PDB file of all heavy atoms in Angstrom:
ATOM      1  N   ASP A 136       1.640 -10.657   3.519  1.00  0.00           N
ATOM      2  CA  ASP A 136       2.909  -9.927   3.402  1.00  0.00           C
ATOM      3  C   ASP A 136       2.697  -8.453   3.735  1.00  0.00           C
ATOM      4  O   ASP A 136       1.618  -7.894   3.488  1.00  0.00           O
ATOM      5  CB  ASP A 136       3.473 -10.044   1.985  1.00  0.00           C
ATOM      6  CG  ASP A 136       4.045 -11.418   1.685  1.00  0.00           C
ATOM      7  OD1 ASP A 136       4.255 -12.195   2.642  1.00  0.00           O
ATOM      8  OD2 ASP A 136       4.289 -11.715   0.496  1.00  0.00           O
ATOM      9  N   GLU A 137       3.732  -7.825   4.275  1.00  0.00           N
ATOM     10  CA  GLU A 137       3.617  -6.433   4.720  1.00  0.00           C
ATOM     11  C   GLU A 137       4.478  -5.504   3.861  1.00  0.00           C
ATOM     12  O   GLU A 137       5.609  -5.834   3.496  1.00  0.00           O
ATOM     13  CB  GLU A 137       4.050  -6.304   6.177  1.00  0.00           C
ATOM     14  CG  GLU A 137       3.142  -7.031   7.149  1.00  0.00           C
ATOM     15  CD  GLU A 137       3.632  -6.974   8.572  1.00  0.00           C
ATOM     16  OE1 GLU A 137       4.780  -6.513   8.799  1.00  0.00           O
ATOM     17  OE2 GLU A 137       2.879  -7.397   9.465  1.00  0.00           O
ATOM     18  N   VAL A 138       3.904  -4.338   3.578  1.00  0.00           N
ATOM     19  CA  VAL A 138       4.616  -3.252   2.894  1.00  0.00           C
ATOM     20  C   VAL A 138       4.610  -2.054   3.830  1.00  0.00           C
ATOM     21  O   VAL A 138       3.546  -1.627   4.293  1.00  0.00           O
ATOM     22  CB  VAL A 138       3.929  -2.885   1.564  1.00  0.00           C
ATOM     23  CG1 VAL A 138       4.618  -1.679   0.930  1.00  0.00           C
ATOM     24  CG2 VAL A 138       3.935  -4.069   0.604  1.00  0.00           C
ATOM     25  N   LEU A 139       5.788  -1.500   4.114  1.00  0.00           N
ATOM     26  CA  LEU A 139       5.887  -0.345   4.999  1.00  0.00           C
ATOM     27  C   LEU A 139       5.959   0.940   4.182  1.00  0.00           C
ATOM     28  O   LEU A 139       6.844   1.104   3.333  1.00  0.00           O
ATOM     29  CB  LEU A 139       7.131  -0.445   5.883  1.00  0.00           C
ATOM     30  CG  LEU A 139       7.249  -1.651   6.813  1.00  0.00           C
ATOM     31  CD1 LEU A 139       8.472  -1.487   7.715  1.00  0.00           C
ATOM     32  CD2 LEU A 139       5.991  -1.828   7.657  1.00  0.00           C
ATOM     33  N   ILE A 140       5.008   1.854   4.427  1.00  0.00           N
ATOM     34  CA  ILE A 140       5.059   3.193   3.868  1.00  0.00           C
ATOM     35  C   ILE A 140       4.939   4.160   5.046  1.00  0.00           C
ATOM     36  O   ILE A 140       5.254   3.799   6.171  1.00  0.00           O
ATOM     37  CB  ILE A 140       3.952   3.415   2.805  1.00  0.00           C
ATOM     38  CG1 ILE A 140       2.553   3.237   3.411  1.00  0.00           C
ATOM     39  CG2 ILE A 140       4.135   2.473   1.630  1.00  0.00           C
ATOM     40  CD1 ILE A 140       1.431   3.668   2.475  1.00  0.00           C
ATOM     41  N   ASN A 141       4.499   5.387   4.817  1.00  0.00           N
ATOM     42  CA  ASN A 141       4.259   6.340   5.907  1.00  0.00           C
ATOM     43  C   ASN A 141       3.287   7.394   5.421  1.00  0.00           C
ATOM     44  O   ASN A 141       3.027   7.508   4.222  1.00  0.00           O
ATOM     45  CB  ASN A 141       5.571   6.962   6.395  1.00  0.00           C
ATOM     46  CG  ASN A 141       6.242   7.787   5.323  1.00  0.00           C
ATOM     47  OD1 ASN A 141       5.986   8.979   5.175  1.00  0.00           O
ATOM     48  ND2 ASN A 141       7.119   7.143   4.532  1.00  0.00           N
ATOM     49  N   LYS A 142       2.750   8.167   6.349  1.00  0.00           N
ATOM     50  CA  LYS A 142       1.712   9.126   5.987  1.00  0.00           C
ATOM     51  C   LYS A 142       2.219  10.302   5.172  1.00  0.00           C
ATOM     52  O   LYS A 142       1.420  11.074   4.642  1.00  0.00           O
ATOM     53  CB  LYS A 142       1.015   9.636   7.252  1.00  0.00           C
ATOM     54  CG  LYS A 142       0.163   8.579   7.946  1.00  0.00           C
ATOM     55  CD  LYS A 142      -0.528   9.163   9.168  1.00  0.00           C
ATOM     56  CE  LYS A 142      -1.377   8.104   9.864  1.00  0.00           C
ATOM     57  NZ  LYS A 142      -2.041   8.647  11.083  1.00  0.00           N
ATOM     58  N   GLY A 143       3.532  10.444   5.062  1.00  0.00           N
ATOM     59  CA  GLY A 143       4.095  11.538   4.285  1.00  0.00           C
ATOM     60  C   GLY A 143       4.373  11.193   2.844  1.00  0.00           C
ATOM     61  O   GLY A 143       4.997  11.979   2.131  1.00  0.00           O
ATOM     62  N   GLU A 144       3.891  10.039   2.389  1.00  0.00           N
ATOM     63  CA  GLU A 144       4.163   9.630   1.011  1.00  0.00           C
ATOM     64  C   GLU A 144       3.180  10.260   0.023  1.00  0.00           C
ATOM     65  O   GLU A 144       2.015  10.467   0.341  1.00  0.00           O
ATOM     66  CB  GLU A 144       4.106   8.105   0.881  1.00  0.00           C
ATOM     67  CG  GLU A 144       5.257   7.386   1.556  1.00  0.00           C
ATOM     68  CD  GLU A 144       6.610   7.829   1.040  1.00  0.00           C
ATOM     69  OE1 GLU A 144       6.816   7.830  -0.194  1.00  0.00           O
ATOM     70  OE2 GLU A 144       7.463   8.193   1.874  1.00  0.00           O
ATOM     71  N   HIS A 145       3.677  10.497  -1.183  1.00  0.00           N
ATOM     72  CA  HIS A 145       2.859  10.996  -2.288  1.00  0.00           C
ATOM     73  C   HIS A 145       1.865   9.922  -2.711  1.00  0.00           C
ATOM     74  O   HIS A 145       2.107   8.724  -2.549  1.00  0.00           O
ATOM     75  CB  HIS A 145       3.781  11.358  -3.457  1.00  0.00           C
ATOM     76  CG  HIS A 145       3.115  12.064  -4.585  1.00  0.00           C
ATOM     77  ND1 HIS A 145       2.384  11.406  -5.554  1.00  0.00           N
ATOM     78  CD2 HIS A 145       3.086  13.378  -4.925  1.00  0.00           C
ATOM     79  CE1 HIS A 145       1.934  12.286  -6.432  1.00  0.00           C
ATOM     80  NE2 HIS A 145       2.340  13.483  -6.075  1.00  0.00           N
ATOM     81  N   ALA A 146       0.745  10.342  -3.260  1.00  0.00           N
ATOM     82  CA  ALA A 146      -0.310   9.410  -3.686  1.00  0.00           C
ATOM     83  C   ALA A 146       0.219   8.304  -4.596  1.00  0.00           C
ATOM     84  O   ALA A 146      -0.264   7.162  -4.552  1.00  0.00           O
ATOM     85  CB  ALA A 146      -1.420  10.178  -4.414  1.00  0.00           C
ATOM     86  N   SER A 147       1.212   8.606  -5.412  1.00  0.00           N
ATOM     87  CA  SER A 147       1.750   7.615  -6.355  1.00  0.00           C
ATOM     88  C   SER A 147       2.455   6.469  -5.655  1.00  0.00           C
ATOM     89  O   SER A 147       2.613   5.393  -6.228  1.00  0.00           O
ATOM     90  CB  SER A 147       2.725   8.283  -7.326  1.00  0.00           C
ATOM     91  OG  SER A 147       2.070   9.290  -8.063  1.00  0.00           O
ATOM     92  N   ASN A 148       2.894   6.709  -4.421  1.00  0.00           N
ATOM     93  CA  ASN A 148       3.543   5.658  -3.631  1.00  0.00           C
ATOM     94  C   ASN A 148       2.631   5.164  -2.517  1.00  0.00           C
ATOM     95  O   ASN A 148       3.098   4.559  -1.553  1.00  0.00           O
ATOM     96  CB  ASN A 148       4.865   6.156  -3.054  1.00  0.00           C
ATOM     97  CG  ASN A 148       5.764   5.024  -2.581  1.00  0.00           C
ATOM     98  OD1 ASN A 148       5.726   3.910  -3.108  1.00  0.00           O
ATOM     99  ND2 ASN A 148       6.580   5.303  -1.578  1.00  0.00           N
ATOM    100  N   VAL A 149       1.345   5.418  -2.663  1.00  0.00           N
ATOM    101  CA  VAL A 149       0.351   4.951  -1.689  1.00  0.00           C
ATOM    102  C   VAL A 149      -0.761   4.162  -2.385  1.00  0.00           C
ATOM    103  O   VAL A 149      -1.005   2.989  -2.073  1.00  0.00           O
ATOM    104  CB  VAL A 149      -0.263   6.127  -0.903  1.00  0.00           C
ATOM    105  CG1 VAL A 149      -1.375   5.635   0.025  1.00  0.00           C
ATOM    106  CG2 VAL A 149       0.795   6.864  -0.097  1.00  0.00           C
ATOM    107  N   LEU A 150      -1.423   4.820  -3.332  1.00  0.00           N
ATOM    108  CA  LEU A 150      -2.611   4.209  -3.941  1.00  0.00           C
ATOM    109  C   LEU A 150      -2.335   2.867  -4.626  1.00  0.00           C
ATOM    110  O   LEU A 150      -3.136   1.922  -4.465  1.00  0.00           O
ATOM    111  CB  LEU A 150      -3.258   5.188  -4.915  1.00  0.00           C
ATOM    112  CG  LEU A 150      -3.889   6.434  -4.260  1.00  0.00           C
ATOM    113  CD1 LEU A 150      -4.391   7.402  -5.315  1.00  0.00           C
ATOM    114  CD2 LEU A 150      -5.017   6.041  -3.320  1.00  0.00           C
ATOM    115  N   PRO A 151      -1.240   2.701  -5.381  1.00  0.00           N
ATOM    116  CA  PRO A 151      -1.006   1.377  -5.970  1.00  0.00           C
ATOM    117  C   PRO A 151      -0.853   0.275  -4.921  1.00  0.00           C
ATOM    118  O   PRO A 151      -1.306  -0.857  -5.132  1.00  0.00           O
ATOM    119  CB  PRO A 151       0.286   1.570  -6.772  1.00  0.00           C
ATOM    120  CG  PRO A 151       0.329   3.022  -7.071  1.00  0.00           C
ATOM    121  CD  PRO A 151      -0.257   3.685  -5.866  1.00  0.00           C
ATOM    122  N   TRP A 152      -0.234   0.602  -3.788  1.00  0.00           N
ATOM    123  CA  TRP A 152      -0.108  -0.386  -2.708  1.00  0.00           C
ATOM    124  C   TRP A 152      -1.479  -0.709  -2.126  1.00  0.00           C
ATOM    125  O   TRP A 152      -1.758  -1.868  -1.767  1.00  0.00           O
ATOM    126  CB  TRP A 152       0.822   0.122  -1.620  1.00  0.00           C
ATOM    127  CG  TRP A 152       2.247   0.328  -2.032  1.00  0.00           C
ATOM    128  CD1 TRP A 152       2.931   1.515  -2.085  1.00  0.00           C
ATOM    129  CD2 TRP A 152       3.178  -0.683  -2.461  1.00  0.00           C
ATOM    130  NE1 TRP A 152       4.218   1.306  -2.519  1.00  0.00           N
ATOM    131  CE2 TRP A 152       4.401  -0.035  -2.750  1.00  0.00           C
ATOM    132  CE3 TRP A 152       3.084  -2.072  -2.627  1.00  0.00           C
ATOM    133  CZ2 TRP A 152       5.532  -0.725  -3.196  1.00  0.00           C
ATOM    134  CZ3 TRP A 152       4.205  -2.755  -3.069  1.00  0.00           C
ATOM    135  CH2 TRP A 152       5.407  -2.093  -3.346  1.00  0.00           C
ATOM    136  N   PHE A 153      -2.338   0.308  -2.018  1.00  0.00           N
ATOM    137  CA  PHE A 153      -3.690   0.069  -1.513  1.00  0.00           C
ATOM    138  C   PHE A 153      -4.469  -0.865  -2.444  1.00  0.00           C
ATOM    139  O   PHE A 153      -5.268  -1.685  -1.990  1.00  0.00           O
ATOM    140  CB  PHE A 153      -4.441   1.389  -1.356  1.00  0.00           C
ATOM    141  CG  PHE A 153      -4.064   2.183  -0.130  1.00  0.00           C
ATOM    142  CD1 PHE A 153      -4.650   3.418   0.117  1.00  0.00           C
ATOM    143  CD2 PHE A 153      -3.140   1.714   0.783  1.00  0.00           C
ATOM    144  CE1 PHE A 153      -4.331   4.157   1.247  1.00  0.00           C
ATOM    145  CE2 PHE A 153      -2.795   2.445   1.916  1.00  0.00           C
ATOM    146  CZ  PHE A 153      -3.398   3.674   2.148  1.00  0.00           C
ATOM    147  N   VAL A 154      -4.237  -0.699  -3.754  1.00  0.00           N
ATOM    148  CA  VAL A 154      -4.890  -1.597  -4.718  1.00  0.00           C
ATOM    149  C   VAL A 154      -4.429  -3.034  -4.483  1.00  0.00           C
ATOM    150  O   VAL A 154      -5.249  -3.970  -4.458  1.00  0.00           O
ATOM    151  CB  VAL A 154      -4.587  -1.159  -6.161  1.00  0.00           C
ATOM    152  CG1 VAL A 154      -5.092  -2.202  -7.164  1.00  0.00           C
ATOM    153  CG2 VAL A 154      -5.237   0.200  -6.459  1.00  0.00           C
ATOM    154  N   LEU A 155      -3.122  -3.230  -4.289  1.00  0.00           N
ATOM    155  CA  LEU A 155      -2.620  -4.583  -4.011  1.00  0.00           C
ATOM    156  C   LEU A 155      -3.160  -5.120  -2.691  1.00  0.00           C
ATOM    157  O   LEU A 155      -3.398  -6.323  -2.548  1.00  0.00           O
ATOM    158  CB  LEU A 155      -1.088  -4.597  -3.974  1.00  0.00           C
ATOM    159  CG  LEU A 155      -0.337  -4.462  -5.295  1.00  0.00           C
ATOM    160  CD1 LEU A 155       1.112  -4.914  -5.124  1.00  0.00           C
ATOM    161  CD2 LEU A 155      -0.988  -5.246  -6.420  1.00  0.00           C
ATOM    162  N   GLN A 156      -3.347  -4.234  -1.728  1.00  0.00           N
ATOM    163  CA  GLN A 156      -3.905  -4.657  -0.442  1.00  0.00           C
ATOM    164  C   GLN A 156      -5.292  -5.255  -0.634  1.00  0.00           C
ATOM    165  O   GLN A 156      -5.634  -6.278  -0.025  1.00  0.00           O
ATOM    166  CB  GLN A 156      -3.958  -3.467   0.516  1.00  0.00           C
ATOM    167  CG  GLN A 156      -4.450  -3.809   1.913  1.00  0.00           C
ATOM    168  CD  GLN A 156      -4.234  -2.668   2.886  1.00  0.00           C
ATOM    169  OE1 GLN A 156      -3.505  -2.789   3.852  1.00  0.00           O
ATOM    170  NE2 GLN A 156      -4.872  -1.526   2.635  1.00  0.00           N
ATOM    171  N   LYS A 157      -6.084  -4.632  -1.508  1.00  0.00           N
ATOM    172  CA  LYS A 157      -7.422  -5.159  -1.785  1.00  0.00           C
ATOM    173  C   LYS A 157      -7.366  -6.441  -2.606  1.00  0.00           C
ATOM    174  O   LYS A 157      -8.114  -7.390  -2.350  1.00  0.00           O
ATOM    175  CB  LYS A 157      -8.261  -4.110  -2.525  1.00  0.00           C
ATOM    176  CG  LYS A 157      -8.743  -2.964  -1.645  1.00  0.00           C
ATOM    177  CD  LYS A 157      -9.698  -2.069  -2.427  1.00  0.00           C
ATOM    178  CE  LYS A 157     -10.296  -0.994  -1.522  1.00  0.00           C
ATOM    179  NZ  LYS A 157     -11.288  -0.160  -2.227  1.00  0.00           N
ATOM    180  N   GLU A 158      -6.496  -6.449  -3.606  1.00  0.00           N
ATOM    181  CA  GLU A 158      -6.467  -7.582  -4.529  1.00  0.00           C
ATOM    182  C   GLU A 158      -5.775  -8.815  -3.941  1.00  0.00           C
ATOM    183  O   GLU A 158      -6.233  -9.942  -4.146  1.00  0.00           O
ATOM    184  CB  GLU A 158      -5.763  -7.176  -5.826  1.00  0.00           C
ATOM    185  CG  GLU A 158      -6.543  -6.177  -6.664  1.00  0.00           C
ATOM    186  CD  GLU A 158      -5.849  -5.866  -7.982  1.00  0.00           C
ATOM    187  OE1 GLU A 158      -4.709  -6.351  -8.202  1.00  0.00           O
ATOM    188  OE2 GLU A 158      -6.439  -5.136  -8.799  1.00  0.00           O
ATOM    189  N   LEU A 159      -4.677  -8.603  -3.239  1.00  0.00           N
ATOM    190  CA  LEU A 159      -3.864  -9.720  -2.760  1.00  0.00           C
ATOM    191  C   LEU A 159      -4.004  -9.986  -1.268  1.00  0.00           C
ATOM    192  O   LEU A 159      -3.479 -10.977  -0.756  1.00  0.00           O
ATOM    193  CB  LEU A 159      -2.374  -9.465  -3.070  1.00  0.00           C
ATOM    194  CG  LEU A 159      -1.990  -9.220  -4.528  1.00  0.00           C
ATOM    195  CD1 LEU A 159      -0.479  -9.015  -4.631  1.00  0.00           C
ATOM    196  CD2 LEU A 159      -2.438 -10.374  -5.419  1.00  0.00           C
ATOM    197  N   LYS A 160      -4.670  -9.055  -0.561  1.00  0.00           N
ATOM    198  CA  LYS A 160      -4.808  -9.142   0.897  1.00  0.00           C
ATOM    199  C   LYS A 160      -3.458  -9.058   1.604  1.00  0.00           C
ATOM    200  O   LYS A 160      -3.221  -9.705   2.623  1.00  0.00           O
ATOM    201  CB  LYS A 160      -5.551 -10.428   1.297  1.00  0.00           C
ATOM    202  CG  LYS A 160      -6.981 -10.471   0.763  1.00  0.00           C
ATOM    203  CD  LYS A 160      -7.721 -11.714   1.239  1.00  0.00           C
ATOM    204  CE  LYS A 160      -9.143 -11.728   0.709  1.00  0.00           C
ATOM    205  NZ  LYS A 160      -9.890 -12.949   1.099  1.00  0.00           N
ATOM    206  N   ILE A 161      -2.555  -8.246   1.020  1.00  0.00           N
ATOM    207  CA  ILE A 161      -1.348  -7.901   1.752  1.00  0.00           C
ATOM    208  C   ILE A 161      -1.708  -6.845   2.782  1.00  0.00           C
ATOM    209  O   ILE A 161      -2.845  -6.342   2.810  1.00  0.00           O
ATOM    210  CB  ILE A 161      -0.253  -7.368   0.803  1.00  0.00           C
ATOM    211  CG1 ILE A 161      -0.712  -6.052   0.139  1.00  0.00           C
ATOM    212  CG2 ILE A 161       0.132  -8.410  -0.237  1.00  0.00           C
ATOM    213  CD1 ILE A 161       0.384  -5.318  -0.603  1.00  0.00           C
ATOM    214  N   LYS A 162      -0.754  -6.463   3.626  1.00  0.00           N
ATOM    215  CA  LYS A 162      -1.008  -5.446   4.645  1.00  0.00           C
ATOM    216  C   LYS A 162      -0.090  -4.259   4.410  1.00  0.00           C
ATOM    217  O   LYS A 162       1.144  -4.412   4.373  1.00  0.00           O
ATOM    218  CB  LYS A 162      -0.776  -6.007   6.047  1.00  0.00           C
ATOM    219  CG  LYS A 162      -1.144  -5.029   7.154  1.00  0.00           C
ATOM    220  CD  LYS A 162      -1.043  -5.667   8.526  1.00  0.00           C
ATOM    221  CE  LYS A 162      -1.475  -4.696   9.618  1.00  0.00           C
ATOM    222  NZ  LYS A 162      -1.365  -5.307  10.971  1.00  0.00           N
ATOM    223  N   VAL A 163      -0.669  -3.085   4.203  1.00  0.00           N
ATOM    224  CA  VAL A 163       0.100  -1.858   4.046  1.00  0.00           C
ATOM    225  C   VAL A 163       0.122  -1.140   5.398  1.00  0.00           C
ATOM    226  O   VAL A 163      -0.923  -0.780   5.937  1.00  0.00           O
ATOM    227  CB  VAL A 163      -0.505  -0.949   2.965  1.00  0.00           C
ATOM    228  CG1 VAL A 163       0.310   0.334   2.825  1.00  0.00           C
ATOM    229  CG2 VAL A 163      -0.573  -1.680   1.623  1.00  0.00           C
TER     230      VAL A 163
END
């Protein structure tokens, strides 16, 4: 599954998604 963010996002809206990317193998 894919989650769309962007490079202008605050860490709070980036790092938790990165954790899910590692744990669930989703794609950010």
Side-chain angles (χ1 to χ4, degrees):
D136 287 346
E137 294 176 351
V138 175
L139 300 186
I140 61 170
N141 64 89
K142 291 182 180 179
E144 290 303 308
H145 188 279
S147 300
N148 197 30
V149 175
L150 292 175
W152 296 115
F153 282 179
V154 172
L155 287 197
Q156 183 169 243
K157 286 187 174 183
E158 291 183 355
L159 303 181
K160 297 183 179 178
I161 64 169
K162 185 174 183 181
V163 180

